[in-house]
Amino acid sequence: MNSYAVFLRGVNLGGINIKMADLKAALKSRPFSAVATLLASGNVVLSSELPAAGVKTEFEACLRETFGYDAWVVVLSAAQVAALVEACPYPADDKATHSYVTLSSDPEILTELYDAGRALDGVELARLAPEAVAWLAPAGGTLESPFSKLSAKARYKASTTTRNLRTMIKVRDAAVPPGAG
């Protein structure tokens, strides 16, 4: 049995509203166990015999069939989430800045986004892994920050999603790897 974290893109904003209790109920018909939702922004931890790609396929199909929207998710193993949190060079809590991690199911698209972000003035980025980039935004100005605007472009919609580092830590703590805890 493998432990995974599933990050939904665009849930509970922009007109796609899903109650986490409804999501959890819908996932019962899929090959997942120990399903738990975290926060209302589309974070799920679960266990499955499937590989990560199979979890992605099943999860997206469930969202499309049950909730009727073009759904995309990023699936990471519990170990990957823990490694990303550990690798992030930025603080989880800082009064002046907020730390974010953009996750991707497509490393090539993330490389393109990372390279474009590095070309922007005043943007601080760190490539954590093929599937993740960490970045900073001024407190109170996340949506107006240059990297946030860049990553919101339609080109990245199907393969990326962003979480603040505090959320990543909560997901890490909830997604216990096999044999731990």
Side-chain angles (χ1 to χ4, degrees):
M1 193 65 69
N2 302 303
S3 180
Y4 294 105
V6 181
F7 301 91
L8 288 71
R9 168 141 181 130
V11 170
N12 295 338
L13 46 99
I16 301 168
N17 296 304
I18 298 174
K19 291 181 177 152
M20 293 300 104
D22 293 343
L23 174 60
K24 192 172 175 181
L27 294 170
K28 285 184 180 186
S29 67
R30 302 297 174 153
F32 308 136
S33 61
V35 175
T37 60
L38 299 141
L39 310 170
S41 57
N43 307 291
V44 177
V45 293
L46 55 80
S47 295
S48 181
E49 295 289 341
L50 296 173
V55 170
K56 179 177 173 52
T57 298
E58 283 286 331
F59 205 105
E60 289 176 344
C62 180
L63 291 172
R64 288 176 177 134
E65 292 163 14
T66 307
F67 301 104
Y69 79 101
D70 225 359
W72 297 283
V73 301
V74 174
V75 177
L76 301 175
S77 71
Q80 284 175 296
V81 173
L84 294 176
V85 168
E86 181 67 27
C88 186
Y90 309 126
D93 290 300
D94 181 302
K95 291 181 180 174
T97 59
H98 291 167
S99 301
Y100 290 92
V101 178
T102 295
L103 305 167
S104 181
S105 57
D106 184 336
E108 289 180 22
I109 290 290
L110 190 63
T111 296
E112 175 187 308
L113 177 60
Y114 176 71
D115 290 344
R118 287 180 39 201
L120 298 172
D121 286 335
V123 173
E124 188 169 343
L125 297 171
R127 187 73 184 251
L128 304 180
E131 67 277 352
V133 170
W135 53 283
L136 294 173
T142 301
L143 295 178
E144 294 80 30
S145 69
F147 191 76
S148 179
K149 288 180 179 180
L150 174 65
S151 65
K153 290 186 176 184
R155 171 146 179 76
Y156 306 114
K157 183 178 180 179
S159 63
T160 66
T161 190
T162 298
R163 298 295 186 274
N164 67 44
L165 184 56
R166 291 181 314 279
T167 297
M168 293 294 292
I169 291 168
K170 289 176 185 174
V171 171
R172 175 204 61 196
D173 294 348
V176 180

